[in-house]
Amino acid sequence: MFTPSRPIAFLCLALSMSLVGSYVALSKPLALVFPVVLLAWLRFGIGAIAMLGWLKRPSHEARMSGQTKILLFLESFFGNFLFTLCMITGVAITSAVTAGVTMAAIPAAVAVMSWIFLREAVALRTWAAIVFAVLGIGLNALSRSGDTHAGNASPLLGQLLLIAAVLCEALYAVIGKKLTASVSPKRITALINLWGFVLSTPMGIYLAWQFDFSQIQLPIWGLLLFYALAACVWTVWLWMTGLRAVAASQAGIFTVLLPISAALVGMLALGERISPVQFLAFGIALASVVIATWPARAKA
């Protein structure tokens, strides 16, 4: 299987998380139109159609073991199905910027889980990058500490759902690293999406039967198509490709681009306000990516 160079792998990881942040923010207007589970089902269905050609096992790829099949299910359950439900619901009852604040915990969660489950040695520089990531978005959290979200009946529930999404995303990164050792990125992408479609189908069909699709305007359908392809196809393939050449703990640093892109899309597309202090916070967070990816000095 193709293994990218480290610069290409870094680029894939960065693009993946930037796209994730974009569709996380754009899921807010979609969640105002579609029930959450129906939105997830439509997303997985569009992704399944787009990736039909990726399901077949390549001739050079060995048959999957029982453990690999279990990991594929867990990857889909936590990283696709549960992450989607927690994230969309959390963003719907809070805001895109609030989601960005909460996502600051992902790099630390990935590093700890990589150390526990993959026995990866986390370099001091990686820990320093994690500190910068958390400090940067933590500063963003403090700058919005006085914000309130009018009309939210349960803002605490929204925060808890976003924290659950953080844990799901960390598991997604760690399990994905295990899977890339034996399964191609394209096939991983297609199979975990198929599992997500299966898991959401019973409730999705029930909700679709009662939903009036005639009220949906063309721009919403276009947004749904972008959301489905970005969430199911592009981001997953880019992430799995990058993981083939980068340790999970180091790849986790790139998740800091998720909250940054979510907050920027919230500002540019959804009209949410970002203060100068928040721009400073995002600059500090971006510094974490520079620290994590700066070429190491060759040993004498």
Side-chain angles (χ1 to χ4, degrees), residues 251-299:
I253 300 299
F254 287 88
T255 59
V256 77
L257 295 175
L258 191 162
I260 291 173
S261 60
L264 290 178
V265 171
M267 177 187 68
L268 298 174
L270 305 180
E272 296 180 2
R273 297 179 62 184
I274 299 183
S275 68
V277 176
Q278 289 172 308
F279 276 115
L280 173 62
F282 293 149
I284 295 173
L286 282 174
S288 72
V289 178
V290 176
I291 293 171
T293 59
W294 195 265
R297 209 167 31 173
K299 293 182 179 179

Side-chain angles (χ1 to χ4, degrees), residues 85-111:
L85 297 185
C86 291
M87 179 57 70
I88 293 176
T89 307
V91 172
I93 60 179
T94 56
S95 73
V97 174
T98 300
V101 170
T102 310
M103 294 297 103
I106 293 178
V110 172

Side-chain angles (χ1 to χ4, degrees), residues 78-90:
F78 288 110
N80 252 7
F81 179 70
L82 204 56
F83 174 81
T84 299
L85 297 185
C86 291
M87 179 57 70
I88 293 176
T89 307

Side-chain angles (χ1 to χ4, degrees), residues 123-134:
L124 182 61
R125 184 171 66 168
T126 301
W127 284 117
I130 291 168
V131 170
F132 267 74
V134 175

